[in-house]
Amino acid sequence: KKSSNKAVACDSCEDQLTTLAEGSSSCDACVQGRYQAGTDGDGNPECEACPTITQGVDCNKPGITIESLPILPHFWRYSLTTSQVFECDHPAACEKGSPEPNPLENTTKLNTTTSNLAETTSMASDAKTAAMEAWSENYGDGLCAENYEGVLCRLCKEDPPNYRSAVSGDCVSCVETEDGGNPHLGPIFAMLAVVVGIILWALSYYEWFDTMYQARKNQILVAINHSTMMFVTYQIIVSMASGFEFRGSYG
């Protein structure tokens, strides 16, 4: 940073601090690997160590703040004011990660916004509002993929409506695709074609099947009953499993 005296000179910043702009007169940001958690009594940044990459955060640039903490894909946090990050149970639900931060631009935007707002209302309250608006994609539902919301992005969005696929576990939109077609019609028609093909093939061997059925009627009926019981049991298990939802500290 530039010295405060009239002579043009540069002073070194204290440990953990740096500058974001050339010719800065103050050490106004935290170094790479640390984030600004707040300010001290003199208005200087208070820096804390960032969580590691394996913990879901990548502070690979200087000037990171608690609001702009770079959350990696497949991780989630519940608030702009926490550095505690959780790994999502279903990776596809929170595959976005944080928007790419621009430390100088975002620091300037937040400082300017809060400075202007302080002239008309409470600075602390409006500073928090400005930060939440500027980084709405960096916490909570903002980190969730399309069609997901809630704690750890575990819920399917209700607006617009979505449902959870019993096969993949993904949340799928109930709304028809933009071209007016239904995305499920293709698989349905394919299954119908297979069923019709099997029926036609069976009819061509009707006499053979009838003879075999009469000879092994009891065994066939027992097999059908057992298969029905297994299928019903599977449906009950799936229904019970889908009824559970995450109830963590913040849910």
Side-chain angles (χ1 to χ4, degrees):
K1 66 175 182 177
K2 285 187 176 180
S3 174
S4 58
N5 56 41
K6 294 183 179 180
V8 178
C10 295
D11 294 334
S12 298
C13 291
E14 297 180 5
D15 290 343
Q16 304 180 8
L17 294 178
T18 186
T19 61
L20 295 178
E22 185 177 353
S24 176
S25 60
S26 64
C27 298
D28 52 3
C30 299
V31 298
Q32 179 177 329
R34 293 184 173 271
Y35 69 90
Q36 181 178 338
T39 55
D40 60 20
D42 297 326
N44 298 315
E46 291 183 330
C47 301
E48 295 187 9
C50 287
T52 64
I53 290 180
T54 57
Q55 293 172 318
V57 178
D58 185 12
C59 293
N60 60 356
K61 296 180 180 179
I64 299 297
T65 65
I66 185 66
E67 295 86 6
S68 65
L69 202 66
I71 312 299
L72 293 174
H74 313 311
F75 287 86
W76 182 90
R77 67 171 176 169
Y78 70 93
S79 168
L80 277 179
T81 58
T82 180
S83 61
Q84 189 174 17
V85 178
F86 301 90
E87 186 173 5
C88 294
D89 297 330
H90 188 49
C94 49
E95 60 186 4
K96 290 172 55 178
S98 296
E100 183 65 23
N102 183 330
L104 178 57
E105 176 184 340
N106 292 318
T107 301
T108 302
K109 178 169 61 176
L110 289 178
N111 289 342
T112 302
T113 302
T114 54
S115 176
N116 293 337
L117 290 172
E119 298 176 3
T120 57
T121 186
S122 169
M123 181 174 181
S125 175
D126 288 333
K128 181 178 179 181
T129 301
M132 292 182 70
E133 291 178 353
W135 291 104
S136 61
E137 298 295 312
N138 204 34
Y139 76 102
D141 290 351
L143 289 169
C144 296
E146 186 179 7
N147 302 336
Y148 296 85
E149 63 183 1
V151 176
L152 294 179
C153 307
R154 296 194 70 179
L155 302 178
C156 295
K157 277 187 178 179
E158 296 182 358
D159 185 21
N162 294 269
Y163 70 93
R164 188 175 299 279
S165 170
V167 178
S168 65
D170 295 337
C171 291
V172 183
S173 175
C174 299
V175 181
E176 292 185 348
T177 54
E178 294 181 0
D179 59 4
N182 190 314
H184 306 292
L185 289 180
I188 291 174
F189 283 133
M191 292 178 63
L192 287 175
V194 171
V195 171
V196 171
I198 292 175
I199 292 175
L200 293 176
W201 175 79
L203 288 175
S204 65
Y205 290 91
Y206 173 77
E207 293 183 2
W208 180 83
F209 278 110
D210 184 59
T211 302
M212 184 187 71
Y213 176 76
Q214 295 300 330
R216 302 182 180 181
K217 184 176 181 179
N218 291 335
Q219 295 94 322
I220 293 174
L221 291 176
V222 170
I224 292 175
N225 288 335
H226 288 171
S227 299
T228 302
M229 292 173 61
M230 291 178 61
F231 180 72
V232 171
T233 302
Y234 168 77
Q235 285 186 313
I236 294 173
I237 294 174
V238 170
S239 298
M240 293 179 62
S242 62
F244 291 95
E245 71 180 54
F246 179 80
R247 297 286 183 182
S249 302
Y250 313 104

